[in-house]
Every structure is written in structure tokens, then in C-alpha cells.
Amino acid sequence: MSLVRRTVGTLIHRAYRAIRHAGAITPGSPAGYRFRRIGDGVSIAFPPGAIFGEQWIEIGDHTLIGERVSISCGMNPGLELGPDAILRIGRGCAIGRGTHVVAHQSIDIGDDVFTGPYVYITDQNHVYDDPDVPIGRQWPRNSPVSIGSGSWLGTGAIILPGTTLGRHCVVAGGAVVRGEFPDHSVVAGVPARRVRGYTPELGWHTPNGSAPNGSAPNGGAPNGGVPNGGAPITPQPTAS
């Protein structure tokens, strides 16, 4: 490699690092002031995804949000969504690259929640009540979402409206989740179901009526279950 090419490459990479640093959204940056609350130590990496409805978004202290993450309230900018926060992300969270969190009524993400890349979380979905009207033209339906503190969502997981995850839950990669799951649940599959749980009496175990251990991440191992081995999903319209 020639000296000129090496020098130009070095300058380009230094410039890009400087742009990323300057473009990050933090409590002290102009874009940070648009949020209802953005806590100390928060950083939204550059380049961001679609971000709008900031006045209804609260982000807790020391939360890190990766590149190209979309966090938004409403269908489009400029809507009036009422006096209260709609999207709340707790303190100490890490939101993976390319994730989308799209709120219309209420999404509450607890403290210390980590996600892999390309997770999708929404509280609104299209309906198909009328068989004669195109689904995309039917009025969508909202249902609140809550993700308990200390939970981990694997790569490509989809959290649908009406989902409540308890504290310290694991969602396998590629899972499509709807429904209520108690604390310390391992959730996997399409549609997702609880494949492992924890009680002081039994420790980590397979709940009655659930899939065998082999369908849980890493064969159901309680400690090594990085949930990126979920079954792939067939692309489908899951939300607006």
C-alpha cells in the first residue's frame, strides 16, 4: 500500500471517528434537549435511526443506544400525544444496533435491559378484522408493552403489543413474543412460549407442558443461554 493511500485512509478514519463522536446525542447536545428526559451518561450513537416524538420519550441514566436505532412515538412527527410519557427506557440499558422501538400508547422498558441487534418492540399492530379491506388500510390497534428490569432480548426478537415480560427474562433470538411471562422466564419460538423458568425450590427447570430442554437456548443451560439461536422467522407484516 502506498504512503499516500495509507495517509488518506488514516485521515478518513480519524474524520469518521470525529463525526461519530460529534454526532452522538447526549444530554448536553442540542438534540438531547428535545427529549422529555435524557439522563446523565446517556449516549445515542451516530448515525441514529428515525427519532421523533422526543417530548414523550424518557431515557434513564447511563443507557447506551447503538447505531441506527429508531426510537419514536406516534406514526409521524408533529402529532399531539397527550401530557404523559409514552416511551420509557430505564437506566443502565444497552440497546443493540438497528433496533426499533415504536410507541403509540405505552412502552415501558425497565432498568438494565440489554438487547441484541435488530430487535423490534412495538405497542401497535395492524388488524385484519374486515376481510374485504386491505390490512394496511385497517385502523391499527394498541396494547401496552412492559419489559422487566434485568431482561435480555436476543438478536432479531420481536416484541408485539400486549406483551408483559417479568424481571430477568431471556428472549431467544428470532422469537416472536406476545402475552404475559413471569419473572425469570426463558422465552423462545414462533409464537414464543416459556421453555424454562426458575424457582428457589427447583432452580432452573422446564415448566410443565413446555418444550423439551433442547428447544431452549444452548440446550436449556441456565447460565450459558445467550439467546441468539432461536428459530428463524418467516418475514411477515407484524406492525405498522
Side-chain angles (χ1 to χ4, degrees):
M1 181 182 294
S2 70
L3 178 60
V4 172
R5 184 175 180 184
R6 208 164 43 235
T7 301
V8 170
T10 299
L11 291 174
I12 289 172
H13 285 287
R14 285 180 179 174
Y16 184 63
R17 284 197 297 270
I19 290 169
R20 291 183 62 196
H21 178 74
I25 299 173
T26 65
S29 66
Y33 290 107
R34 294 200 293 265
F35 286 81
R36 184 183 185 94
R37 180 179 183 271
I38 184 168
D40 293 338
V42 168
S43 179
I44 301 174
F46 180 88
I51 298 178
F52 56 84
E54 294 96 324
Q55 60 267 48
W56 293 282
I57 300 174
E58 297 179 352
I59 304 175
D61 297 349
H62 304 294
T63 283
L64 303 178
I65 295 177
E67 296 178 7
R68 297 179 176 83
V69 171
S70 293
I71 47 175
S72 61
C73 291
M75 291 185 178
N76 51 267
L79 297 177
E80 175 53 52
L81 300 174
D84 301 320
I86 291 175
L87 171 54
R88 294 164 294 275
I89 302 174
R91 59 172 174 78
C93 296
I95 308 301
R97 166 198 303 259
T99 289
H100 286 54
V101 185
V102 184
H104 298 83
Q105 179 180 355
S106 177
I107 294 179
D108 198 332
I109 298 173
D111 300 333
D112 301 306
V113 172
F114 284 50
T115 84
Y118 307 109
V119 170
Y120 192 91
I121 303 169
T122 187
D123 62 358
Q124 184 179 90
N125 208 345
H126 289 291
V127 299
Y128 48 89
D129 298 338
D130 190 333
D132 298 320
V133 175
I135 292 169
R137 298 189 181 279
Q138 298 190 43
W139 195 253
R141 187 173 296 139
N142 300 334
S143 188
V145 168
S146 177
I147 297 172
S149 294
S151 293
W152 161 252
L153 312 182
T155 300
I158 298 174
I159 310 298
L160 293 175
T163 295
T164 297
L165 290 172
R167 297 173 62 254
H168 296 193
C169 287
V170 174
V171 175
V176 178
V177 184
R178 185 196 296 272
E180 298 185 7
F181 300 89
D183 296 351
H184 301 102
S185 292
V186 178
V187 179
V190 183
R193 56 178 173 169
R194 187 171 183 246
V195 296
R196 269 180 96 70
Y198 177 86
T199 63
E201 298 79 16
L202 299 176
W204 289 98
H205 63 282
T206 301
N208 291 335
S210 293
N213 286 352
S215 65
N218 283 0
N223 295 320
V226 177
N228 292 331
I233 61 173
T234 302
Q236 56 183 310
T238 58
S240 59

